[in-house]
Amino acid sequence: MSEDCRKLSSLNRERNILITTLGYTKDHLNTEYYCCNSNRDEVSFCTGISSSEAGAKYILSEHLIDEIVVLGPSEAAGLHNDADRYLGDFNLNTCTDIKDSTEYDFLCYRLSQYLNKLDIEANDIIFYASKEKREMLGNMMRRELMRGRDGFFYEASTNPIAYNKFKSVAAKLSDNREVRWLKHMMYMNMDSALKMRPLKGNSDVTIRFVSIEKDAKGYFAVDDMVNIVDSLTDNGKSEVNIHIDLRGMDKADSYMMWSMLSMVNSADVRFGIKTVIHTRTVEEGFLHSIDDEIRRYDVEILLAGMQAFVNYGKVEMLDEYCRSHDIKDKSVLNLLNAMKYVDTGVSLCNTNDLTYGIQALKRIFNNFDPMKLGDNDSALFVILKKGIQKDYGALLESENMSIPELIGWALRKHFYQQALTMIESLVPADMVSRGIYYYAKDKHDIDLALENWNINYWNEIPRCRYAFNDPDHYFIKSYGRNVINNRQSKENISRDFAKARVAQLHGEYSELCNAYSSIDDTDMLYEMFFAYYEIGNLRNIVSHALTSEHALNNQEEMQENNSFDQLENAIAKFLRIYRAGCAKAEAVKSHPMIITSTILSAYTFNHRLRPLNSTPDNFLLEDSYNCQYNGQDISISIRMLKPDDSID
């Protein structure tokens, strides 16, 4: 290899690695024949004394490779197991006695021949016999075998009639060496375009041996697998493309290797599986096979990505799958984008993104037309669609987003932090809209609520006025806390506040606006409010991660962490009560009037008040405020306090 080529290779940010295993070769002189149907539906053939040799030849004929990594037991490599070799520079005289060479040396010897367009062992087959014997066998081949358009070998490998003729001719031969000669001459006479040839750029490929042992169950040892992954990452390249021959690997071994490679993916180095083949030996067969298994691997990766989204809301694997397969169909990409909203919603506890993503999924599924997709894209879409529909269930079936169903979905998937956020942020508006607990039946109630909340708004310190951005949330979570004693335990505060909300229904607090409920069971309403306020306390504890409670002690065993159990029990308790309340409210079907954030914001902007000491003596003339509700213009009468232009 030239020094310039080596420098150029070292500067390349991308590295292509072929991984294969070292098998046991029974006879270093016995040439076998292999066939592969490539992903371009083209048939190609090669010779090989070992299956690992044949698999490597196929990959070297299809892809540019920088390095071959050979896995095997340490005794199979002999003394040369710790050095990289340039196969193109390999000294063929190293294997002076190929019968006694190590398996690794022999593989290097055979692959070096391939790169130099040689096949010394095959030539030995041709010239074993006398000239007269060779002429006799050649005449028999031409006279009794079917040649076909592409030669005797191709015909016998693809046509059962031609193969049977070969077997009948072979049965007439008394010496097995004559059968080997006949078969190899058939191969030699085959169209050369059907034979594997190494790509020109692979003349500089290196080969390296990595020792790996198998455990008692026949699997690769985990420690050795870790060493393999470490060796693949230690090359300073940002992109590493893996081409792998599964021959000699258990399915679990290949999955473990890929899982480990996926785990070490980072911003500095990325791994990608580009080729997956399995070289198989067919006993007593005319040909052995090199099977392209990238499609099966792709399906398994697709299903793993689907599982990652269904179980954890993560979409990276599916996103990478679509990128690597250059999928550009609009329906599939829209589906992927909707899934990304779900991903960010779950990951960041962003309820807006989560609900938007789920609603987008529902709309995309409803508009799905399989006739507009290609076969592959349609199959991908259907796989994703069925998996998501099965998991999301009622969330994709109802016309409107069901908050109880959404919380139940998060709880079932153990998205505890997300479930807490949903309860805290989405339940208040849901309670009001369902009529479980609300503030207005008519225009008069709207007037009273706006007047009361306006006073509270201007008496609140400016940095805390964000609570009024969502009127329903403010009404359920915060409104009226001033009527209870807030200097007590959080649990007692929650209990007292829940009692106050029930008492507000009966007008016990004249300083508060009206309150209504379509639930006549006040005990249920109390339990619902208490569970809701306790969820808020629990969410604060989780969000602020009170690490002082988890100081490590000098103990032989770690104490069991039951935080998840506490979260699950608290969320499940609230959800059980809330679902029962929703059912009761649904039976009554109240029609609450709603104050939107726009109405409240405009009202507070146009009716500034002096903070504190706001007494009836400050009231001026009645004023009216025009707004829209449910598409209708309404006029709201308000008693205004004396404006203060100095207030910002």
Side-chain angles (χ1 to χ4, degrees):
M1 176 182 182
S2 69
E3 190 64 29
D4 289 341
C5 288
R6 292 180 182 178
K7 288 180 180 179
L8 184 62
S9 176
S10 65
L11 292 173
N12 188 0
R13 292 176 57 83
E14 185 176 83
R15 189 163 182 80
N16 297 281
I17 298 177
L18 188 166
I19 301 175
T20 187
T21 55
L22 197 60
Y24 173 69
T25 306
K26 294 180 181 179
D27 184 354
H28 284 176
L29 298 176
N30 187 22
T31 298
E32 301 286 350
Y33 303 87
Y34 295 81
C35 173
C36 180
N37 288 316
S38 72
N39 53 19
R40 299 189 303 273
D41 294 325
E42 297 176 354
V43 180
S44 57
F45 300 84
C46 73
T47 60
I49 294 179
S50 72
S51 55
S52 52
E53 171 195 333
K57 284 181 174 180
Y58 168 70
I59 292 176
L60 289 168
S61 72
E62 293 284 326
H63 305 281
L64 290 174
I65 300 297
D66 297 298
E67 180 181 30
I68 302 173
V69 175
V70 182
L71 311 180
S74 56
E75 61 270 18
L79 301 176
H80 306 290
N81 62 352
D82 59 350
D84 289 358
R85 300 175 176 180
Y86 285 98
L87 280 178
D89 297 343
F90 186 78
N91 185 357
L92 297 179
N93 294 322
T94 300
C95 293
T96 54
D97 189 351
I98 60 174
K99 292 182 180 179
D100 299 326
S101 63
T102 65
E103 292 297 318
Y104 178 57
D105 277 340
F106 186 69
L107 178 63
C108 293
Y109 167 76
R110 289 290 298 170
L111 291 179
S112 180
Q113 289 186 53
Y114 177 64
L115 294 178
N116 287 284
K117 300 179 182 179
L118 299 173
D119 194 340
I120 297 172
E121 285 64 45
N123 290 337
D124 290 342
I125 298 174
I126 298 299
F127 296 108
Y128 97 93
S130 64
K131 182 178 179 181
E132 292 75 15
K133 176 76 71 173
R134 295 198 300 269
E135 288 180 355
M136 182 272 292
L137 293 172
N139 290 332
M140 182 181 290
M141 177 182 71
R142 288 184 290 273
R143 183 177 62 251
E144 300 187 35
L145 297 182
M146 296 177 63
R147 181 180 180 87
R149 185 185 64 181
D150 296 309
F152 300 104
F153 193 91
Y154 181 84
E155 196 69 17
S157 65
T158 57
N159 186 337
I161 297 176
Y163 175 57
N164 288 331
K165 282 184 175 292
F166 166 78
K167 289 199 298 183
S168 65
V169 170
K172 298 176 184 179
L173 302 175
S174 58
D175 190 340
N176 186 55
R177 290 179 298 175
E178 294 178 348
V179 177
R180 290 173 56 191
W181 188 96
L182 177 64
K183 189 173 181 179
H184 194 69
M185 282 305 299
M186 293 167 63
Y187 179 81
M188 294 288 290
N189 281 276
M190 183 173 60
D191 185 350
S192 61
L194 296 173
K195 298 175 184 177
M196 297 178 194
R197 294 287 185 267
L199 299 180
K200 290 183 179 180
N202 284 331
S203 59
D204 300 321
V205 66
T206 63
I207 190 167
R208 175 162 54 99
F209 182 82
V210 177
S211 175
I212 188 166
E213 306 297 336
K214 292 198 173 185
D215 59 22
K217 295 182 179 180
Y219 300 135
F220 288 162
V222 175
D223 289 346
D224 288 344
M225 190 72 80
V226 172
N227 292 335
I228 293 171
V229 173
D230 288 344
S231 70
L232 297 178
T233 59
D234 188 23
N235 56 50
K237 304 299 179 183
S238 59
E239 297 285 340
V240 179
N241 300 320
I242 302 295
H243 306 263
I244 188 167
D245 184 353
L246 298 178
R247 194 217 67 80
M249 287 191 194
D250 185 271
K251 193 173 184 179
D253 295 331
S254 60
Y255 282 166
M256 182 186 293
M257 181 181 296
W258 172 239
S259 297
M260 288 183 173
L261 291 174
S262 298
M263 289 171 62
V264 298
N265 272 338
S266 65
D268 297 324
V269 58
R270 298 289 300 176
F271 286 91
I273 298 289
K274 300 300 181 182
T275 307
V276 179
I277 63 170
H278 198 154
T279 308
R280 292 180 170 89
T281 301
V282 181
E283 294 296 335
E284 305 300 326
F286 186 77
L287 275 174
H288 305 303
S289 67
I290 302 173
D291 299 330
D292 188 344
E293 304 214 341
I294 190 66
R295 291 180 180 175
R296 193 178 83 173
Y297 174 83
D298 278 347
V299 170
E300 290 167 348
I301 291 298
L302 174 61
L303 294 177
M306 182 73 256
Q307 202 72 11
F309 179 75
V310 168
N311 289 343
Y312 312 110
K314 306 307 296 178
V315 78
E316 287 94 340
M317 288 185 71
L318 291 173
D319 193 25
E320 176 63 28
Y321 179 91
C322 290
R323 269 203 309 270
S324 63
H325 290 74
D326 198 28
I327 293 176
K328 297 179 179 179
D329 181 84
K330 187 175 181 180
S331 297
V332 176
L333 296 181
N334 282 341
L335 175 60
L336 194 65
N337 286 333
M339 296 167 74
K340 288 179 181 179
Y341 274 100
V342 175
D343 188 349
T344 57
V346 171
S347 301
L348 304 178
C349 291
N350 186 322
T351 55
N352 287 335
D353 277 1
L354 179 60
T355 54
Y356 176 81
I358 293 175
Q359 289 169 339
L361 287 174
K362 179 172 62 177
R363 184 177 65 251
I364 291 169
F365 291 156
N366 290 339
N367 296 332
F368 171 54
D369 183 0
M371 300 303 293
K372 294 182 178 180
L373 293 175
D375 291 341
N376 292 335
D377 293 342
S378 179
L380 170 60
F381 191 98
V382 170
I383 289 173
L384 297 177
K385 179 175 180 285
K386 287 186 177 296
I388 295 171
Q389 285 179 325
K390 182 178 179 181
D391 184 74
Y392 282 56
L395 290 175
L396 299 175
E397 295 170 1
S398 57
E399 183 177 349
N400 298 313
M401 177 69 68
S402 169
I403 302 305
E405 288 294 335
L406 184 62
I407 297 168
W409 169 82
L411 177 62
R412 176 166 53 83
K413 305 185 80 59
H414 307 295
F415 294 162
Y416 298 124
Q417 179 70 62
Q418 291 80 0
L420 293 175
T421 301
M422 292 172 191
I423 293 171
E424 195 277 337
S425 61
L426 300 180
V427 162
D430 198 54
M431 288 179 68
V432 173
S433 64
R434 288 177 183 271
I436 293 175
Y437 195 83
Y438 58 104
Y439 45 81
K441 288 183 176 180
D442 53 32
K443 177 177 170 296
H444 175 68
D445 291 329
I446 293 285
D447 292 345
L448 292 178
L450 281 172
E451 178 185 349
N452 190 280
W453 296 353
N454 188 56
I455 294 172
N456 292 347
Y457 178 87
W458 288 110
N459 280 335
E460 185 62 80
I461 56 177
R463 70 172 180 271
C464 294
R465 289 175 183 163
Y466 67 87
F468 294 83
N469 292 343
D470 184 342
D472 293 344
H473 189 272
Y474 165 71
F475 175 68
I476 296 296
K477 183 178 180 180
S478 306
Y479 182 61
R481 278 185 180 268
N482 59 308
V483 303
I484 65 170
N485 175 18
N486 285 283
R487 294 188 176 183
Q488 53 181 327
S489 69
K490 290 185 180 296
E491 181 178 347
N492 287 337
I493 291 175
S494 297
R495 291 189 183 280
D496 285 356
F497 196 20
K499 291 176 183 177
R501 304 322 295 264
V502 174
Q504 189 181 351
L505 293 172
H506 309 300
E508 293 188 17
Y509 299 102
S510 58
E511 64 269 40
L512 301 179
C513 68
N514 294 334
Y516 306 95
S517 176
S518 55
I519 299 176
D520 55 7
D521 186 342
T522 55
D523 290 337
M524 173 186 284
L525 199 60
Y526 163 78
E527 291 295 337
M528 187 186 302
F529 270 112
F530 175 63
Y532 173 75
Y533 295 137
E534 280 295 277
I535 286 287
N537 295 333
L538 189 59
R539 181 171 182 258
N540 288 335
I541 293 174
V542 171
S543 298
H544 292 91
L546 302 183
T547 54
S548 60
E549 298 180 5
H550 302 295
L552 289 173
N553 298 319
N554 293 324
Q555 299 173 339
E556 293 184 2
E557 296 184 3
M558 289 288 295
Q559 293 182 349
E560 183 179 355
N561 189 331
N562 62 354
S563 298
F564 282 153
D565 292 337
Q566 294 177 12
L567 288 170
E568 184 165 0
N569 292 337
I571 296 168
K573 176 185 176 182
F574 172 81
L575 186 58
R576 183 177 63 255
I577 298 170
Y578 190 61
R579 277 177 165 158
C582 290
K584 283 183 174 291
E586 181 66 22
V588 176
K589 293 188 181 301
S590 301
H591 299 284
M593 294 185 70
I594 306 296
I595 296 176
T596 66
S597 58
T598 302
I599 291 176
L600 182 58
S601 176
Y603 184 88
T604 55
F605 179 80
N606 289 299
H607 301 84
R608 297 181 175 186
L609 305 177
R610 290 181 182 275
L612 305 177
N613 300 321
S614 300
T615 65
D617 295 336
N618 300 119
F619 287 129
L620 301 177
L621 298 175
E622 284 195 354
D623 193 8
S624 62
Y625 177 68
N626 296 319
C627 62
Q628 277 198 339
Y629 175 72
N630 284 349
Q632 298 181 353
D633 293 327
I634 62 173
S635 179
I636 302 172
S637 298
I638 312 107
R639 291 178 298 161
M640 294 177 55
L641 289 176
K642 183 178 180 181
D644 186 347
D645 294 334
S646 66
I647 300 174
D648 294 328

